[in-house]
Every structure is written in C-alpha cells, then in structure tokens.
C-alpha cells in the first residue's frame, strides 16, 4: 500500500474513532441532560402516551385519563374534582403536578422502578410499565361532610384518626376543578389564568399550606404543658392566677372575652370552659419558654419537614420571646401560627393518650393490577404528654363541649371534647376574625381512643357574629358524625 493510501486509511480510522467518541458522549454522558432539555419533546410525548394511574378514595378512583386525539395521547380527568382537589392536587400537561399528583408522580406515570421486577430489561428496552395506583386514607363521607359544611366560606378542615395518624378528610374552600386545565388547549390556559387571578385563591391548600393564628384553640397546648410540668396538679383546684393579669414588664392587662373570667384564682377547668385569657396566659409564663416550646413542638409546631407525603407549611411557636410575648403566645396570639393539620394533630394527640402519630395521606401504593408496592404503617411522631396528663386534658375538652363555648359540637350517644378559638388579626385587629374549632369524638362507654379528631378554621365568612363555637364547631360535628356513622 502506498504512503498516500496508508495516510488516507489512518485518517478514516481517526474519523471513525472520533465519531464513536462523540456518539458515546452524546448517548451516554449527555443522555440525561439531553433527555431533560426543554427543547426535547420526546419524553413529554412518551409521558402522555398511556393512561395515568389512579388516585383512590376507598374502592373508587377519583381520577382517570381520556384520549385527546392530539399530540399527547392522554390527559388527566377528575371525578368530583373540586371535592378532592386538596387531596389529589392537579396533573396538567402545561402546568405540571401538585399535591399527590406531584409527590407520587413516578408511580402514577409508570416510571417508578418498583412497578416492574425486570427494571434493568425495561430500561434497556425503553418499555414503560402501566401507571400504579395511590390508595389514600381519605374517608369519602368525612370529606363530603367537610366540604359541605364549609360551603361558600373561605376555610379548611383536617381530620385525623388519632391512633394511626391516617388523614380522614382534607378540605379547602373555595376549591377548583383540576381537570379544567389538564390539557394544552386555549381553554385550559384560560382556566388556569382565571384561577391565578382569583383573589380568593382557590388553588391555595388552606388545610396544609396556610397558617393562621390559632387563638384559644392553642390553650389546649398550654393546658397540657401546665399539667405535664406540674404547674397545675388539679384541674378543679383554684390556681394562683391573679386578676387583672398585667403582662410582665408592661402596664397592659391581658383582657378576657367574658366578665365571668374576671376574678382571681380561677381553676384550670373553669378557665378552659370559659376560655379565660388571663389564666392561660399566666400559666404559660409559669410553665416557662423552654417547656412551652417543647410541648408545642411535640404537637408539630416548628417542623419544616412535616410531610404527609405532601409537605405542610411550617407552623410557628417562637423560640425567643420575653414573658409578655410568651403570655400572648400561650393563648394563640402574638406570632403563633398553625395549619389546620397541626391543630388536628393537637386534638389527636390528646385523644391518643398523649402520643402524636405522624399524619399520613397515603394508605398504600400498588401496581395497576392491585399488587402492593408499598404499604404505609402507623408511625409515632412524638410523645406530647403522659397518658395521665392526656386524660386530664380530655376532661377539660369534654367540659368545653358540655358546659362551655363548644356546645354546638355535641353528638348524641358520643363523647365529644373540643376547644373553640376566635383569632383576631389585621391592623388593629380590623380583619374578620378567624373562627376555629378543634375536637375529637368517640362512642360513649369504655375509655378507648376516639376514632376521629378534627380541626376547622373559617377564614372569611359573611356571618354577622364570627365565633369558633358558632361557625366552626358545627362543621367539626358534621365531619365527626360522618366518621362515627361509617
């Protein structure tokens, strides 16, 4: 072979090596980058080439898929979309996923490797498994009662099974239809833009993602701390709470909402039944900042990673305060703020003998044919108090319902414990108050763990008188009745 031929052969060999190196770089080392490049539509088209797995409430799927006849073969549909929007969230070909549609997207879309026993071969063959199903813990009757009870008011409900942490209802109003923008049409974009521009924020999950000052419902936490620390040893004995109670370091007295509270030495039972600010604020200061913080955090406050698996907003109880601020925080004022989920955890912890269970919205994950991929098991979150203390706090909450501000939550044939709250807010407290009620309920009889605990907040109402007992307690009663009747 001539020198020229050898040079040409060598050059061709180098070109082949360079081509192989470039192909390897593109297909192996840059594969992930190119797959997820926004200009690459192949994965998006592939993603919607098959129906999405279902999100189930009981035996029924509350989601589905329908053929589009367009570039993307299937889009998401929702059965009773507004009823379950706070649970499912949305899955949109244009705007992405939220809530369970987001946290469980891999399973629902069929990309989760747990869906196949041949994951390696599937990856090589680029075969996608059918989407799996997410089975929720939601009780349909409780969910319907929550949404119906909230009605046209702006508010939220979270209901929990105290012994397990299973979330039985999660409602937020006003709600929205996640199917209205599931596709890519002009109508889908218009629906999305209307929702984004709505001043009532229907897409805000008020049960998980919004915090509110809890007002007097937080007094349950303060009562638990006072009893657990030994500041109070007998709920019926007179306390040494003075009246008027002047906030430490100030000349400002802590006022009560009813004149019946305006005398010194009220017992803890009387103070809870009448919702006396002066007594509970004083007891919070007696307990002290460190123990108040510890008790609040045992119920879920200050946790930035409270996942259901959908992450809840961080509920706040300040860790640095002077005594005047601590007194206000101990009655749910100052900077104290909570999600309805965390206030439901407060009621559930009392009901479950002082043990707070980790809240969970998912019961199990399965393949499309129902084979279990993952089973969720109850897990302890924290112990907030001893069983003995929890029993005393339960008595306090029962008295609130039987003799105090929570009478509207009574259920015939059941034992109900609760606490009302009416939280002022806005500049000079000019905003419409938030109406709260937290409660638990169970059959009358043996001292078993009640099957349901609930928190309700009404954030905006047209009612002329806004109180937790008047607005929120009837909603809580309806939700608890639905569970007890199930």
């Amino acid at each position: 072979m001539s020198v020229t031929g050898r040079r040409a052969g060598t050059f061709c060999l180098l070109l082949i090596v360079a081509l192989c190196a470039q192909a390897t770089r593109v297909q192996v080392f840059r594969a992930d980058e190119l797959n997820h490049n926004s200009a690459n539509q192949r994965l998006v088209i592939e993603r919607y080439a098959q129906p999405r797995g279902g999100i189930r409430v009981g035996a029924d799927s509350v989601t589905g898929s329908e053929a589009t006849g367009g570039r993307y073969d299937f889009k998401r549909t929702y059965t009773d979309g507004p009823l379950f929007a706070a649970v499912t969230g949305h899955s949109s070909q244009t705007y992405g996923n939220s809530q369970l549609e987001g946290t469980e997207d891999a399973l629902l879309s069929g990309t989760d490797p747990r869906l196949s026993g041949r994951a390696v071969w599937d990856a090589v063959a680029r075969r996608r498994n059918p989407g799996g199903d997410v089975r929720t813990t939601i009780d349909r009757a409780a969910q319907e009662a929550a949404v119906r009870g909230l009605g046209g008011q702006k508010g939220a409900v979270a209901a929990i099974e105290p012994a397990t942490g299973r979330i039985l209802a999660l409602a937020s109003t006003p709600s929205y239809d996640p199917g209205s923008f599931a596709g890519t049409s002009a109508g889908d974009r218009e629906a999305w833009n209307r929702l984004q521009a709505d001043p009532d924020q229907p897409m805000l999950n008020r049960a998980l993602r919004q915090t509110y000052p809890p007002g007097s419902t937080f007094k349950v936490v303060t009562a638990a701390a006072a009893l657990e620390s030994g500041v109070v040893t007998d709920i019926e004995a007179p306390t040494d709470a003075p009246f008027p109670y002047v906030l430490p370091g100030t000349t400002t007295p802590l006022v009560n909402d009813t004149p019946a509270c305006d005398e010194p030495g009220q017992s803890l039972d009387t103070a809870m039944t009448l919702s006396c600010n002066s007594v509970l604020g004083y007891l919070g200061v007696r307990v002290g900042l460190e123990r108040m913080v510890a008790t609040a955090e045992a119920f879920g406050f200050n946790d930035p990673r409270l996942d259901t698996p959908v992450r809840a907003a961080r509920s706040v109880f300040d860790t640095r305060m002077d005594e005047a601020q601590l007194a206000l925080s101990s009655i749910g004022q100052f900077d104290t703020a909570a999600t309805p989920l965390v206030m439901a955890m407060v009621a559930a912890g009392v009901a479950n003998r002082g043990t707070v269970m980790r809240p969970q919205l998912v019961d199990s994950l399965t393949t499309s044919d129902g084979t279990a991929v993952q089973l969720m098991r109850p897990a302890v979150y924290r112990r907030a108090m001893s069983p003995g203390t929890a029993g005393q706090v339960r008595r306090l909450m029962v008295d609130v319902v039987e003799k105090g501000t929570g009478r509207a939550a009574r259920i015939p044939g059941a034992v109900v414990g609760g606490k009302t709250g009416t939280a002022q807010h806005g500049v000079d407290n000019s905003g419409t108050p938030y109406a709260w009620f937290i409660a638990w309920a169970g059959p009358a009889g043996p001292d078993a763990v009640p099957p349901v605990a609930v928190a309700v907040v009404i954030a905006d109402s047209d009612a002329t008188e806004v109180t937790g007992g008047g607005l929120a307690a009837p909603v809580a009663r309806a939700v608890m009745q639905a569970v007890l009747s199930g």
Side-chain angles (χ1 to χ4, degrees):
M1 181 180 293
S2 66
V3 173
T4 301
R6 285 196 299 271
R7 288 176 177 174
T10 301
F11 181 69
C12 289
L13 180 60
L14 290 173
L15 287 178
I16 293 171
V17 171
L19 182 62
C20 290
Q22 174 66 1
T24 301
R25 186 177 73 88
V26 170
Q27 295 182 22
V28 178
F29 297 106
R30 295 192 62 201
D32 189 66
E33 173 193 345
L34 294 173
N35 276 338
H36 294 91
N37 189 296
S38 60
N40 182 5
Q41 285 289 294
R42 182 181 60 79
L43 283 184
V44 180
I45 293 171
E46 183 180 289
R47 175 185 185 84
Y48 299 112
Q50 67 177 19
R52 193 169 171 83
I55 298 177
R56 293 184 171 274
V57 173
D60 303 321
S61 178
V62 298
T63 62
S65 296
E66 68 177 14
T68 65
R71 186 181 191 186
Y72 302 145
D73 292 341
F74 293 93
K75 73 172 185 177
R76 193 56 142 170
T77 60
Y78 295 86
T79 304
D80 296 322
L83 176 63
F84 295 107
V87 177
T88 64
H90 64 261
S91 180
S92 168
Q93 294 174 343
T94 305
Y95 302 106
N97 307 314
S98 69
Q99 300 291 118
L100 287 181
E101 292 277 31
T103 61
E104 307 302 339
D105 178 62
L107 182 100
L108 293 165
S109 64
T111 60
D112 192 320
R114 294 175 297 176
L115 293 173
S116 173
R118 300 182 299 169
V120 175
W121 173 249
D122 289 340
V124 172
R126 305 191 72 85
R127 184 179 75 86
R128 173 170 289 184
N129 296 290
D133 289 347
V134 176
R135 299 176 184 271
T136 72
T137 58
I138 295 295
D139 180 306
R140 176 181 280 271
Q143 184 76 7
E144 290 174 345
V147 173
R148 185 170 55 248
L150 290 170
Q153 302 172 113
K154 189 180 295 182
V157 172
I160 293 174
E161 184 177 67
T164 64
R166 293 164 56 91
I167 297 175
L168 304 176
L170 199 68
S172 174
T173 56
S175 188
Y176 69 99
D177 181 4
S180 65
F181 54 89
T184 58
S185 70
D188 290 288
R189 292 192 294 274
E190 289 172 5
W192 173 268
N193 291 333
R194 281 195 302 271
L195 288 167
Q196 296 302 303
D198 192 328
D200 287 335
Q201 298 179 281
M203 294 186 69
L204 172 63
N205 189 330
R206 292 175 168 85
L208 290 180
R209 296 298 306 162
Q210 182 66 39
T211 61
Y212 304 91
S216 292
T217 58
F218 190 83
K219 291 172 182 173
V220 173
V221 178
T222 303
L227 288 162
E228 188 73 1
S229 64
V231 168
V232 174
T233 56
D234 183 347
I235 63 174
E236 296 180 346
T239 65
D240 55 357
F243 185 84
Y245 175 55
V246 178
L247 293 173
T250 77
T251 58
T252 304
L254 187 54
V255 298
N256 294 306
D257 294 327
T258 173
C261 291
D262 294 350
E263 58 180 80
Q266 298 271 24
S267 70
L268 180 57
D269 185 52
T270 299
M272 287 289 284
T273 302
L274 300 177
S275 201
C276 300
N277 293 335
S278 56
V279 176
L280 273 300
Y282 169 79
L283 292 177
V285 173
R286 285 281 313 279
V287 170
L289 179 61
E290 183 177 346
R291 287 184 293 190
M292 281 298 300
V293 168
T295 304
E297 290 183 347
F299 283 113
F301 282 83
N302 298 336
D303 188 344
R305 301 177 63 85
L306 187 57
D307 297 336
T308 64
V310 179
R311 179 156 296 175
R314 179 176 178 268
S315 297
V316 177
F317 187 82
D318 282 355
T319 58
R320 295 183 179 180
M321 291 182 280
D322 61 31
E323 288 189 336
Q325 295 166 338
L326 178 57
L328 293 172
S329 295
S330 298
I331 60 171
Q333 297 180 17
F334 187 53
D335 289 338
T336 305
T339 61
L341 175 71
V342 161
M343 292 314 297
M345 290 169 66
V346 170
V350 174
N352 193 37
R353 301 189 178 96
T355 298
V356 182
M357 302 300 289
R358 183 169 292 278
Q360 57 183 45
L361 186 54
V362 174
D363 180 68
S364 65
L365 305 177
T366 72
T367 62
S368 59
D369 63 5
T371 303
V373 170
Q374 183 177 351
L375 298 175
M376 309 304 175
R377 290 181 170 80
V380 173
Y381 178 71
R382 286 172 189 164
R383 180 173 290 279
M385 63 192 121
S386 68
T389 296
Q392 292 178 292
V393 179
R394 281 175 66 159
R395 283 184 55 196
L396 295 174
M397 295 179 74
V398 169
D399 284 347
V400 169
V401 172
E402 291 299 318
K403 302 184 294 186
T405 55
R407 290 183 176 90
R410 291 173 175 172
I411 299 174
V415 178
V416 181
K419 184 68 190 77
T420 55
T422 306
Q424 304 290 336
H425 69 102
V427 179
D428 296 326
N429 291 332
S430 59
T432 301
Y434 298 130
W436 278 93
F437 192 71
I438 66 172
W440 49 264
D447 190 26
V449 175
V452 58
V454 64
V456 178
V457 62
I458 307 296
D460 195 8
S461 173
D462 294 331
T464 55
E465 184 177 358
V466 177
T467 64
L471 292 181
V475 180
R477 179 188 62 211
V479 174
M480 293 187 295
Q481 280 182 312
V483 175
L484 294 177
S485 301

